[in-house]
Amino acid sequence: MKGAAGVLGCVAHGAGDLRVEELPAPLPGPGQALVAVRYGGVCGSDLHYWRHGGVGDFLLREPMLLGHEVVGTVVAYGSSPDASAPAPGTAVAVHPATPCGVCTECSDGRRHVCRDTRYLGSAARFPHVQGGFAARIVVPAGQLRPLPEGLELRRAALAEPLSVALHAVRRAGAVSGRHVLVTGSGPIGCLVVAAARAAGAALITVTDLLPAALEYARLAGADTVVRADDPADAGWPSEYEVDVAVEASGAAAGLDTCLRLVRRGGVVVQLGMLPPGPTPFAGNLVVSREIELRGALRFDTEFDEALRLLAAEPAFDGLVSAVVPVTETASAFGLAADRGRSCKVLLDFGS
């Protein structure tokens, strides 16, 4: 980053070492856009970098600007933009991925699993891809998406996690008229509920350990919520079955619940990131019930679909539980980590 005036940014230096720093103001180069960031959503991966200094096998090897759920306003371009590029002053959401475009996965139309993608705020490669938690950022102009009419920046900050949820539901196949189970009602799990409802699910059941988190699931559109640690007292039928299950907790116990409750020939989508290394699971059920177990990673074109859905449904506002000034980043991350008190927490860069 080069420039004269400084801008505030949230930089992870290692486990437990998160700092709000004044960074050099960036200047856009050819093909790049300068964006004044207004809101940034604190994601589970941001929390992992803060707490553990890494996400899975991707460990911090240098200070890294966090954040990949960002929205703001176009300031300028580094060169004459394409005619379709949003004009300066346009409110935009930033698609966080830049696929390579040439690998086998990109050629097969699966850019979201590109083996050489650049993703904002990720330590998957070195040097790391710096993130979007700064008052001014520079990104490829092609990553900008103008907000649909009527969609304000605060709600638009949910576009990235909602895209993840939409992709997971798409991986499940047809859910219209079906019973969907979601294990885990964190921000992603709640957005899976909303995505399944938008896709026509007839009945949605959500499990979680925390009553407060389950209330957010109700807000997102869940028909039934169940305490995962005490299903007997919550009224599980003795022969309870669902058609589709999406595991959004990232816990082995959640995957076990999905495999045991999905019907024969049903589909289980593993969305939550399980801990690195071997994970024991009821693989015998995959065989004896011919269950289809599918993974879901990030998203691609679902980002545009997410923006349209957010513009059409004001109820998403209720999933934003707090907006915290960037100067109080430590408080924001602590709140986001406490699922008993929050759903989605946004940082406000005041741009």
Side-chain angles (χ1 to χ4, degrees):
M1 294 182 183
K2 298 179 180 179
V7 297
L8 289 182
C10 307
V11 181
H13 287 257
D17 188 359
L18 177 63
R19 310 176 195 177
V20 177
E21 301 179 354
E22 185 171 321
L23 307 171
L27 295 175
Q32 295 181 323
L34 177 66
V35 176
V37 174
R38 178 57 196 270
Y39 298 116
V42 180
C43 176
S45 62
D46 299 317
L47 297 177
H48 276 287
Y49 283 122
W50 163 53
R51 286 171 153 176
H52 311 298
V55 175
D57 296 325
F58 305 140
L59 304 179
L60 290 173
R61 297 167 60 189
E62 64 178 347
M64 186 177 76
L65 191 65
L66 295 181
H68 54 267
E69 303 175 8
V70 291
V71 295
T73 305
V74 180
V75 176
Y77 292 93
S79 57
S80 297
D82 182 272
S84 62
T90 302
V92 294
V94 179
H95 193 304
T98 305
C100 73
V102 298
C103 69
T104 300
E105 290 74 27
C106 285
S107 299
D108 287 345
R110 303 188 70 184
R111 302 191 308 166
H112 55 289
V113 290
C114 168
R115 63 186 64 195
D116 196 29
T117 194
R118 299 180 62 83
Y119 207 86
L120 291 181
S122 171
R125 58 193 301 158
F126 185 82
H128 302 331
V129 181
Q130 298 297 314
F133 281 175
R136 296 289 188 278
I137 62 172
V138 164
V139 296
Q143 289 181 233
L144 302 183
R145 301 291 190 274
L147 302 192
E149 185 73 26
L151 178 57
E152 60 181 22
L153 285 168
R154 185 180 183 273
R155 195 189 314 155
L158 295 172
E160 195 274 352
L162 178 56
S163 301
V164 172
L166 288 168
H167 180 69
V169 171
R170 183 165 293 172
R171 287 285 291 153
V175 301
S176 180
R178 298 190 173 186
H179 187 174
V180 177
L181 169 69
V182 181
T183 54
S185 59
I188 292 292
C190 288
L191 289 168
V192 169
V193 171
R197 181 63 69 207
L203 186 64
I204 302 173
T205 299
V206 181
T207 69
D208 199 282
L209 293 169
L210 300 176
L214 290 172
E215 287 309 306
Y216 281 111
R218 284 190 191 278
L219 183 64
D223 297 289
T224 305
V225 298
V226 177
R227 279 284 297 270
D229 55 346
D230 198 3
D233 288 346
W236 287 97
S238 58
E239 296 185 358
Y240 198 84
E241 283 192 335
V242 300
D243 302 299
V244 173
V246 180
E247 202 302 291
S249 72
L255 176 56
D256 186 74
T257 297
C258 290
L259 291 172
R260 295 185 185 282
L261 293 184
V262 76
R263 64 172 174 79
R264 292 174 179 270
V267 176
V268 173
V269 177
Q270 182 62 47
L271 174 59
M273 185 62 73
L274 294 164
T279 298
F281 72 104
N284 60 307
L285 297 179
V286 175
V287 176
S288 64
R289 297 184 184 179
E290 202 169 85
I291 295 169
E292 294 190 43
L293 178 58
R294 305 171 182 173
L297 178 70
R298 295 176 179 165
F299 54 90
D300 186 15
T301 57
E302 291 89 352
F303 196 76
D304 302 292
E305 182 183 348
L307 290 172
R308 291 191 293 269
L309 185 56
L310 288 166
E313 185 47 77
F316 281 105
D317 288 337
L319 299 181
V320 177
S321 50
V323 179
V324 182
V326 63
T327 52
E328 300 175 22
T329 290
S331 173
F333 271 60
L335 180 60
D338 186 349
R339 294 180 54 248
R341 294 193 297 138
S342 70
C343 187
K344 175 57 68 176
V345 175
L346 304 184
L347 289 173
D348 187 348
F349 292 86
S351 298

